[in-house]
Every structure is written in C-alpha cells, then in structure tokens.
Amino acid sequence: MYPEQAPHVPAQRAVEVHQPTPLPPAVPVAAPVVPVQPGTVPAVASIVLPDGRVVTGYAIEPTRPEPVAAKPAVSRTAVNVALGGAGFLAVCGGLVLLTSFIAALTAFITQLIILAAVIFGGWIAVQILGTRGHQGGTTVNIRKAVIKRNHFHG
C-alpha cells in the first residue's frame, strides 16, 4: 500500500534514551495544587522510526480502575419488595375468588333447597287436594250414626 522510498534495513538501529532537562519556572505563580501521578520524574524514551524520524515521550502505564465488587443488576431489597407485592396480590386475588366461589355455592344450595321445597310442597298439595273417588262434601258414616255436619252423635 505504501510506496517504498528506501530499502528497509532490519531493525539494527540503536534506540537512544534521553533524560529530560528540567526547566526553571519563569514566573512563580500561585497555582492550585494538582495531584501528580508518579512521585519521581519518569524516564524519557526515544524511538527512531524506520523512515528516520525520532519519537520521544514518557512511558506511562495506563491507570487501571480499582476492581469493584460484583453487584447484582437489581438490589435484593427491590427484588424482595417486588416478590412480596406479587405474593400479596396473588393472595388478595385468591381471597376474592374464594369469596366469589362461596357466594356462588351458597346461592346454588339455596336454589336447591327452594326447588326441593317447591317439589315437596307440590307433592303434598296433590296429596291433599287430589281427587280419590269422592268429589268433596260432607262425610257421613251411617253404621255408627255419626253425622259430622249437624253434630248428631248417637
């Protein structure tokens, strides 16, 4: 991809390490205190690139964040509250269903009792009011001389 301008020689060039020269401050200015990473001045490293350029810089290790203890995505308290709420709603719903079931069962039993009373009452009415050979009227038993209607007793 890159045009070859000069033949490459395997990495035989020496790496030079330069020490930084501290500069005296020009004007002392009261600046806010800024924390500095290392307590000592790190060494300056210079690298000669294959094309002849020299790159100089400090070798600073990247700062690594402190390991954080693994925390669950949702707190346990929130999970417990949610489960408690779901359980409470389930119990309330169950009680409503139980109450509805008991009311329906009570209405069913009441209807059965009323149906039995109507059937039994109808049977009794048929027994009492039914015609069995006599058309109604006064009962007279002549052999014993009992006439109920006129109250003759003999």
Side-chain angles (χ1 to χ4, degrees):
M1 296 178 102
Y2 296 106
E4 304 225 2
Q5 298 175 355
H8 292 310
V9 179
Q12 295 176 356
R13 296 184 183 175
V15 176
E16 298 177 17
V17 176
H18 299 281
Q19 296 294 328
T21 308
L23 297 174
V27 177
V29 178
V33 177
V34 178
V36 180
Q37 280 186 347
T40 62
V41 178
V44 175
S46 294
I47 300 173
V48 179
L49 297 176
D51 61 355
R53 293 181 293 159
V54 177
V55 178
T56 304
Y58 294 103
I60 299 176
E61 293 183 16
T63 57
R64 296 180 185 168
E66 294 183 17
V68 179
K71 292 183 180 179
V74 180
S75 69
R76 291 181 183 174
T77 304
V79 171
N80 289 340
V81 168
L83 289 176
F88 178 76
L89 289 177
V91 168
C92 289
L95 289 176
V96 167
L97 288 176
L98 181 65
T99 306
S100 301
F101 175 74
I102 290 173
L105 187 63
T106 303
F108 178 68
I109 291 173
T110 304
Q111 289 177 354
L112 285 180
I113 291 172
I114 291 172
L115 179 65
V118 167
I119 291 174
F120 186 68
W123 181 75
I124 290 176
V126 167
Q127 295 299 321
I128 292 175
L129 300 176
T131 58
R132 290 191 180 181
H134 58 282
Q135 303 270 332
T138 306
T139 303
V140 177
N141 190 349
I142 297 177
R143 289 185 195 172
K144 294 185 180 177
V146 175
I147 300 174
K148 289 182 181 178
R149 187 168 193 167
N150 295 329
H151 300 288
F152 293 119
H153 300 286

